[in-house]
């Protein structure tokens, strides 16, 4: 009981003393900050990507994104580490219906294609590596639900190598362009077309692949023993 | 103006969902309620002209997170059954 | 007054309340995920500028007048990262709960006080 | 010259591939893993070298081909490379420590570990706030996952609590970052620093900084961290406590420039509070790893505080203080955690298994002493400079809290140490693991390397100041030799050392040189009786003796204090060698440390010394402020066992080994006297308006009388002599406090006299103990026939003590009464006179109970003490006789010494000494008294016939035996009636006082630590409340 009261006191104080003044004193901005203004005016010239969020995520703040992919990666590793070795999967008592199985094998390529589309167009339209990766992961999840198990090793290799190439392409930026994760190792191309914006589509695809396989890894590990 | 109305409506639903998520006894319902908060949040992101965030929140925040929760619950349920046996 | 930010802070408070008062480990994690959603709302609201469009340069937004037409892309970029990290943390916490449950068959946080003082 | 960005690139590339590599062979993945960790160290070491020695400017690495703030940039300068060098190095060695586990465990553990170290590198180098958040998450998530390395239920729940606290802090961090972006339009700290914040922007800064601060585990919002420290595998926990903490601390350092000053001050105070309370709470802790956890948290608090407090200090001081504490914490904490992984016992009392392995025991000592801030390790210098800095910036509250916290630290660390060294081995010895021992030893070497670097490079100490430590090292190398050889070598070394320092600049140095060096040299002879190897004995003995000598040649406060600490630690280790000395040595260490801290503050308040002459000379021209005089006097009086702070003295004297007690009593106590005299030297010219020495004089007088009374009630011969020393030194203190010519002559005379007769007495008792194996006097008796040589020593010595003519003590007493009376201290003189009378009681007792009366049955076949004990006794006896018969030998030089400060008040004419109150001619007194003695003795011998012998317990009881036969011995509880007469005054009030102070502190600690309920939710609540409280205190 005393804990409840203290919790209430703590939260009320936190809200009243810290959150409330912040809320009151941060009206909406009416113009871009100088930094955002730079991205808005120079971003297209610099990187050739119409989607500025993508430009920031993949290149300007590419180190963040690499870090974020790493976070997901170590979360996957950590979950795998915690859950420990899997016991042999027992064949399900009740196999999924034939209709569902067939439907799934029909749908899966479409889902994956859709995912690839999202991350390939990340520099042009909303969405990109993360979103596409999730779409792919959900496709695989679908397969898992109907107990059609894939060899996990495939994902493991995909995950490892997409990550490895991501870093390698980033390092190429140091050698061929201005710095780590610079997308201008490839020509910027025609603004607004799919093969433009230098290495952004390539990097975002690798990110998508990496995120997707990592998410599969998480789901796979958390499913635990059957 | 329309935005404001939308946000107020969505926000109210989200707050209700949040209370439900905290106080519903059934864990699965609670997880679903939390997922609804995220889903509605992604709508708000659309209104705030952040489609990238909206897609991500919908896919990861509401979609995958909910799945992960449900997987965990399933895992725990299974253990419960194992011990019952 | 910023409506979305208010909503975000309210969600943070509700989530925090859940984290502090709910005994069930899963509920505590749900509390965290509500906080997370709230924080994301706050971040996006910081980048919003009234009446502007998404930071994507296309037919309607030319490079020349982008600075006056788009919202701040930086918070959006940050939130993308934050959302993924949030998922990673949530999944890891849930894994801890699964393992804890395997060992002790309890979901109550009060049953995990063997280390103290 | 490899760009440090490749650390991140290579770690990630290999990290991503590791699970694939592992599919082929674990050997490959292990090679890649250790290869990357080594690569990190080499790259950073290369850069560190460039920055430090080649003056290469700070390196900025822009990512994505754009400059900050458009893109994220990394920075590597001398500070970053310093922190990274250590974190990577400890990371590598922790990995080596964990080699066996890594070999067998899931490949994910290698990946997680590699990425963790990568996260540390990124966190330290990045200049972008949000990027810091990302790296912080990388660091945290890999750490959370690794907490389950041991896979025990405990580590799981600890890991979960860790996560709860971690995500709470991250939330605040993230909020802080985005609001800082809102207010400044920037995420790069270099640009944020330039932009102006409105008042509300400071809330954003608050959120950011408090999040980092919570990650640094401030008291009391740190329960989660303690659980992690306790439950997680020792290899991993060393990384959490050391590597992670260092990175987050550096994060705090990075954001310091953007924080308002009032924030920093509050954080500084919060750091001090954390240090104080963590160390206090650790007092009640019995589990080794949790104890180390408390200590880690405290150290990090101290680091935060010193970062804040040194913000405006000169650069070299920041490096010395913060860098010193930093290195010290890293090395000693990692080392101790690794030892805990080697020992594998939870309870600190089971750590005595270390005694099965000498090198591990030495490592344990190194880490523990380093942590405790014992010289020569880095923490000592940092503490010394920090104290000076705090005194100069008048932060006395923080200073007292830090010193009190350090004292608590000393208590629990040394309790642990003494328990390990002394308690009986009960636990089994675990099997040692080579990779673990390799890593741990490496750290020990690093600790010593840094100690040497600081001493040589930073302070430029010459060899002579380091000699005490070198002695330990050298003797350690030749420790396989038999003890007699080492003893002779030591004797030669002491003589050579004495010869080396001999040309003194002043006579007073010569005088103390004789007491310290010649006295020690003679005392060493008694140690030649040792058989076997006496491992570790001579090293510390030499260390102590060299320290004595270095005290008198010290030319500045630091040299003096350093030497003082060497003396303390070496004497502590010598006392600890006694069989039952665990409690005694601990008490000695605690009191000595408290005294040392007071001295340290006293020196910090003292004005800078000019010139390069020894303290005894230069202090004469320095006006010490009153606070310095008070603190220094208390510090020195603790060492000399003055009343109120004397309780360590009897224990230490009694429990030390027989041949060590004489050193402690006869020589060590004189170090306190020497120190007090140093204060007195300044006092002569610059007596403060408040005459503090008047009260010091009273303390001396009271010490003399109380010591005498306490001595009379002892059953234990060594304890009796100990209290006698206390009483005698009381006289000396009182005499010094007079600050007059005659006072000082008598003080020095007494000091010299006491050195000789107390050495002789302790060595005599040592010889007796060697034969009888008991120190209880009622178990002896009649030894005069068996040990006549020892008897003569004791007889002559006690005559010398008592001040009965004809021996030297009489001269001393005569001088001191003369001094008191001419100084107008009549009442004090009266009390002292009474004390002299009381001292007869114990002196009579010692000769009567041991040598006279009936010989015990079990002592029928006893022999005289070994020759090694007899030789030094008779050298001292010779000295006593010489200065008794020819007092001028000593009075004249002493007169000259004192004249240097005062001008003379006595006249020496032939063998007579004239004062305004009369004169004394030791020569004549000697002749007359000898005659008066010898004549009755001859008569006695002629007249006395055969006496009848009766067996001691030949008493008939009414069919029953007394329950404890010793009560029938006349010497048992001899002065019970006096004790009764004293009434309430006979109770051990002072002992009770200290005892209850200790009890009270411990129960307070016990009370406070109950806030750590073990409930993860409560810990989160603590964090939220802490945030609110700090917010209110800061007045954001």
């Amino acid at each position: 009981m005393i804990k409840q009261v203290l919790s209430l006191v703590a939260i009320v104080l936190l809200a009243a003393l810290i959150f409330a003044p912040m809320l009151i004193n941060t009206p909406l901005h009416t113009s871009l900050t100088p930094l955002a203004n730079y991205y808005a005016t120079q971003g297209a010239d610099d990187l050739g990507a119409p989607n500025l969020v993508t430009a920031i995520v993949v290149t300007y703040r590419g180190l963040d994104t690499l870090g974020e992919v790493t976070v997901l990666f170590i979360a996957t590793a950590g979950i795998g580490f915690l859950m420990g070795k899997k016991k042999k999967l027992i064949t399900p008592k009740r196999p999924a219906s034939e209709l569902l199985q067939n439907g799934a094998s029909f749908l899966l390529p479409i889902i994956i294609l859709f995912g690839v589309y999202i991350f390939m167009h990340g520099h042009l339209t909303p969405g990109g590596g993360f979103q596409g990766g999730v779409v792919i992961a959900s496709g695989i999840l679908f397969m898992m639900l109907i107990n059609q198990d894939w060899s996990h090793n495939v994902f493991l290799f995909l995950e490892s190598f997409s990550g490895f190439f991501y870093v390698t392409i980033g390092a190429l930026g140091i050698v061929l362009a201005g710095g780590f994760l610079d997308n201008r190792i490839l020509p910027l191309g025609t603004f607004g077309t799919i093969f433009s914006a230098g290495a952004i589509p390539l990097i975002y695809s690798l990110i998508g692949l990496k995120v997707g396989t990592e998410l599969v890894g998480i789901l796979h590990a958390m499913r635990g023993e059957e | 103006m329309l935005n404001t109305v939308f946000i107020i409506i969505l926000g109210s639903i989200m707050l209700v969902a949040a209370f439900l998520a905290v106080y519903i006894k059934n864990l699965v319902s609670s997880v679903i309620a939390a997922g609804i908060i995220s889903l509605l949040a992604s709508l708000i992101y659309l209104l705030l002209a952040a489609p990238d965030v909206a897609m991500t929140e919908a896919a990861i925040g509401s979609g995958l997170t909910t799945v992960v929760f449900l997987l965990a619950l399933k895992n725990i349920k299974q253990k419960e059954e194992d011990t019952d046996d | 007054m910023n409506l979305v930010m208010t909503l975000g802070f309210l969600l943070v408070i509700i989530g925090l309340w859940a984290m502090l008062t709910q005994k069930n480990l899963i509920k505590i994690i749900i509390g965290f995920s509500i906080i997370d959603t709230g924080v994301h709302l706050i971040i996006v609201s910081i980048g919003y500028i009234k009446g502007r469009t998404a930071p994507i340069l296309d037919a309607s937004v030319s490079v020349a007048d982008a600075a006056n037409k788009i919202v701040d892309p930086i918070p959006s970029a940050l939130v993308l990262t934050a959302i993924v990290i949030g998922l990673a943390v949530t999944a890891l916490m849930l894994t801890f709960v699964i393992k804890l449950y395997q060992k002790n068959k309890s979901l109550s946080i009060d049953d995990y006080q063997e280390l103290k003082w | 010259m490899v760009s440090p960005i490749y650390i991140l690139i290579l770690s990630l590339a290999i990290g991503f591939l590791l699970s694939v590599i592992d599919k082929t062979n674990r050997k490959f993945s292990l090679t890649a893993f250790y290869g990357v960790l080594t690569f990190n160290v080499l790259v950073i070491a290369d850069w560190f070298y460039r920055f430090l020695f080649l003056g290469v400017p700070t390196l900025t690495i822009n990512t994505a081909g754009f400059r900050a703030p458009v893109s994220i940039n990394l920075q590597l300068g001398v500070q970053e490379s310093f922190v990274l060098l250590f974190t990577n190095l400890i990371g590598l060695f922790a990995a080596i420590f964990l080699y066996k586990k890594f070999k067998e465990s899931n490949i994910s553990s290698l990946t997680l570990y590699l990425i963790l170290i990568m996260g540390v590198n990124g966190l330290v180098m990045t200049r972008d706030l949000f990027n810091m958040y990302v790296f912080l998450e990388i660091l945290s998530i890999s750490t959370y996952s690794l907490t389950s390395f041991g896979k025990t239920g405990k580590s799981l729940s600890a890991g979960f609590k860790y996560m709860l606290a971690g995500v709470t802090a991250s939330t605040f961090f993230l909020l802080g970052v985005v609001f800082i972006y809102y207010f400044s339009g920037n995420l790069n700290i270099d640009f944020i620093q330039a932009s102006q914040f409105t008042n509300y922007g400071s809330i954003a800064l608050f959120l950011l900084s408090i999040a980092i601060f919570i990650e640094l585990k401030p008291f009391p919002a740190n329960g989660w961290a303690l659980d992690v420290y306790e439950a997680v595998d020792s290899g991993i926990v060393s990384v959490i406590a050391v590597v992670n903490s260092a990175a987050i601390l550096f994060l705090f350092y990075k954001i310091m420039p953007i924080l308002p000053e009032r924030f920093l001050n509050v954080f500084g105070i919060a750091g001090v509070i954390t240090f104080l309370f963590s160390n206090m709470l650790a007092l009640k802790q019995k589990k080794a790893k949790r104890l180390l956890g408390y200590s880690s948290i405290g150290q990090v608090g101290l680091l935060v505080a010193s970062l804040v407090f040194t913000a405006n200090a000169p650069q070299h001081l920041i490096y010395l203080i913060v860098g010193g504490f930093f290195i010290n914490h890293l090395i000693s904490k990692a080392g101790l955690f690794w030892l805990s992984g080697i020992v594998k016992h939870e309870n600190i009392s089971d750590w005595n298994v270390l005694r099965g392995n000498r090198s591990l025991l030495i490592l344990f000592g190194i880490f523990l002493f380093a942590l405790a801030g014992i010289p020569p390790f880095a923490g000592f210098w940092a503490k010394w400079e920090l104290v000076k800095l705090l005194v100069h910036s008048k932060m006395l509250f923080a200073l007292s809290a830090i010193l009190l916290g350090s004292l608590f630290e000393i208590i629990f660390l040394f309790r642990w140490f003494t328990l390990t060294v002394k308690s009986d081995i009960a636990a089994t010895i675990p099997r040692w693991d080579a990779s673990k021992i390799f890593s741990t030893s490496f750290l020990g070497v690093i600790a010593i390397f840094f100690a040497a670097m600081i001493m040589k490079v930073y302070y430029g100490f010459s060899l002579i100041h380091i000699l005490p430590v070198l002695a330990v090292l050298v003797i350690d190398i030749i420790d396989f030799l038999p003890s007699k050889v080492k003893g002779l070598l030591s004797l030669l070394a002491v003589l050579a050392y004495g010869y080396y320092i001999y040309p003194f600049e002043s006579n007073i140095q010569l005088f103390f040189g004789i007491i310290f060096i010649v006295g020690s040299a003679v005392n060493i002879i008694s140690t030649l009786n040792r058989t076997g190897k006496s491992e570790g004995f001579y090293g510390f003995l030499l260390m102590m003796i060299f320290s004595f000598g270095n005290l008198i040649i010290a030319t500045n406060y630091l040299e003096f204090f350093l030497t003082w600490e060497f003396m303390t630690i070496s004497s502590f280790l010598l006392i600890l060698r006694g069989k039952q000395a665990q409690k005694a040595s601990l008490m000695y260490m605690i009191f000595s440390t408290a005294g040392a801290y007071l001295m340290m503050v006293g020196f910090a308040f003292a004005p800078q010394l000019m010139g390069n002459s020894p303290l005894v000379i230069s202090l004469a021209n320095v006006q010490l402020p009153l606070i310095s005089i008070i603190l220094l006097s208390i510090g020195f009086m603790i060492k000399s066992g003055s009343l109120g702070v004397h309780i360590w003295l009897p224990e230490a004297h009694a429990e030390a080994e027989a041949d060590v007690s004489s050193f402690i009593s006869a020589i060590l106590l004189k170090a306190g006297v020497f120190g007090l005299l140093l204060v007195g030297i300044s006092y002569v010219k610059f007596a403060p308006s408040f005459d503090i020495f008047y009260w010091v004089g009273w303390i001396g007088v009271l010490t003399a009388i109380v010591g005498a009374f306490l001595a009379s009630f002892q059953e234990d011969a060594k304890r009796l002599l100990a209290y006698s020393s206390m009483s005698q030194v009381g006289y000396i203190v009182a005499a010094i406090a007079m600050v007059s010519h005659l006072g000082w002559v008598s003080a020095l005379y007494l000091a010299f006299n006491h050195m000789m007769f107390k050495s002789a007495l302790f060595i005599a008792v040592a010889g007796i103990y060697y034969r009888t194996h008991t120190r209880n006097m009622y178990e002896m008796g009649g030894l005069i026939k068996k040990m006549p040589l020892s008897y003569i020593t004791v007889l002559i010595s006690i005559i010398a003590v008592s001040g009965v003519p004809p021996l030297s003590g009489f001269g001393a007493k005569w001088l001191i009464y003369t001094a008191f009376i001419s100084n107008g201290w009549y009442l004090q003189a009266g009390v002292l006179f009474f004390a002299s009378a009381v001292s007869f009681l114990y002196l009579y007792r010692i000769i009567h109970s041991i040598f006279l009366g009936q010989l015990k049955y079990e002592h029928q076949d006893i022999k005289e003490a070994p020759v090694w004990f007899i030789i030094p006794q008779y050298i001292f006896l010779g000295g006593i006789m010489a200065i008794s018969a020819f007092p001028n030998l000593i009075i004249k030089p002493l007169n000259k010494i004192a004249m240097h400060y005062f001008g003379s008040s006595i006249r020496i004419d032939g063998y007579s000494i004239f004062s305004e109150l009369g004169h004394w001619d030791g020569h004549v007194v000697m002749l007359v008294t000898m005659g008066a003695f010898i004549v009755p003795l001859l008569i006695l011998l002629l007249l006395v016939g055969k006496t009848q012998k009766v067996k001691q317990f030949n008493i008939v009881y009414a069919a029953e035996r007394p329950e404890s036969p010793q009560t029938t011995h006349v010497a048992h509880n001899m002065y019970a009636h006096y004790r009764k007469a004293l009434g309430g005054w006979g109770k051990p009030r002072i002992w009770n006082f200290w005892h209850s102070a200790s009890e009270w502190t411990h129960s307070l600690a016990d009370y406070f630590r109950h806030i750590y309920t073990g409930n993860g939710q409560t810990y989160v609540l603590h964090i939220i409340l802490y945030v609110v409280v700090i917010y209110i205190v800061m007045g954001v």
Side-chain angles (χ1 to χ4, degrees), chain D residues 192-393:
Chain D
I192 290 164
Q193 201 180 339
S195 62
Q196 294 294 313
F197 276 95
T198 60
N199 195 23
Y200 299 107
S202 65
I203 301 185
L205 288 178
F206 169 77
L207 284 176
L208 177 78
S209 53
I210 194 75
I212 298 175
F213 198 64
I214 283 169
E215 296 267 5
L216 289 172
K217 314 162 188 87
F219 174 84
N222 53 12
W224 46 280
L226 290 164
D227 293 353
V228 170
Y229 287 138
E230 181 184 343
V232 174
D233 178 90
S234 353
I236 296 299
V237 89
S238 72
V239 175
I240 298 175
V242 167
V243 178
N244 286 18
S245 298
I248 295 167
L249 190 76
F250 193 77
L251 193 58
F252 181 78
Y253 174 72
K254 273 202 284 196
I255 65 156
M256 272 173 66
I258 62 172
L259 297 183
E261 190 149 332
R262 64 179 194 281
F263 281 26
L264 292 177
N265 291 336
V266 174
F267 283 135
I269 299 297
V272 170
I273 289 172
T274 302
F275 180 67
L276 176 62
F277 277 88
S278 298
N279 284 330
M280 183 172 129
L281 265 50
L283 288 176
K284 281 298 274 188
Q285 197 45 251
K286 298 277 182 292
K287 294 176 190 157
K289 273 162 73 187
R290 199 172 176 89
L291 181 76
L292 287 174
Y294 276 110
S295 167
S296 297
I297 287 166
Q299 289 287 323
V300 173
L302 181 63
L303 272 166
V304 172
S306 50
L307 263 180
V308 172
F309 295 149
T310 57
N312 300 320
Q315 197 71 28
H316 73 279
L317 276 187
I318 300 183
Y319 283 127
L320 192 60
I321 296 173
V322 182
F325 282 135
F326 181 80
I327 296 174
N328 209 41
H329 169 62
L330 254 63
I331 294 176
S332 53
K333 209 47 67 67
L336 286 172
F337 271 122
W338 293 351
L339 276 178
S340 82
I342 294 173
V343 169
K344 291 189 186 121
H345 286 290
E346 194 177 54
N347 207 306
I348 55 170
S349 54
D350 293 334
W351 275 53
N352 49 22
V353 294
L354 280 176
R355 280 157 66 196
N357 183 322
R358 188 180 147 99
S359 27
L360 282 182
L361 190 63
I362 291 175
L363 282 172
F364 177 61
I366 288 177
F367 297 139
L368 216 63
F369 287 5
L371 193 55
I374 301 291
F377 300 108
F380 168 77
W381 314 99
K383 203 175 279 173
W384 168 263
E385 297 294 347
L386 182 65
V387 166
K388 277 208 310 201
L389 193 80
L390 290 178
V391 163
H392 290 155
S393 44

Side-chain angles (χ1 to χ4, degrees), chain B residues 2-82:
Chain B
L2 198 63
N3 268 4
T4 315
V5 175
F6 264 125
I7 289 173
I8 290 175
I9 294 170
L10 286 173
S12 319
I13 302 174
M14 282 165 80
L15 290 177
V16 171
F19 272 107
L20 285 177
V22 177
Y23 283 109
I24 277 188
K25 276 271 178 302
N26 185 332
L27 288 178
V28 176
S29 320
S30 173
V31 167
I32 303 284
I36 288 172
I37 303 173
S38 272
L39 199 62
L40 298 181
S42 68
L43 289 180
I44 290 184
Y45 295 143
L46 277 182
L47 295 177
L48 294 187
D52 287 271
V53 185
M55 279 179 78
T56 315
E57 181 77 38
I60 296 182
S62 68
L64 262 178
T65 307
T66 312
V67 171
V68 168
F69 266 109
L70 291 176
L71 272 178
L73 283 179
K74 182 182 152 219
N75 223 314
I76 288 166
K77 263 261 177 64
Q78 222 158 41
K79 296 284 142 38
E80 242 164 14
E81 282 163 9
D82 287 355

Side-chain angles (χ1 to χ4, degrees), chain D residues 80 90 746:
Chain D
E80 282 88 356
I90 302 231
S746 52

Side-chain angles (χ1 to χ4, degrees), chain D residues 587 646-647 651 987-997:
Chain D
M587 194 148 56
H646 66 275
I647 65 161
E651 305 298 324
K987 284 186 187 140
R989 279 159 191 276
I990 291 162
W991 193 87
N992 284 348
F993 167 77
W994 289 112
H995 183 72
S996 44

Side-chain angles (χ1 to χ4, degrees), chain D residues 153-166:
Chain D
K154 276 183 182 175
S155 71
L156 273 175
S157 72
F160 189 72
K161 292 175 206 173
Y162 190 9
M163 287 202 81
L164 286 181

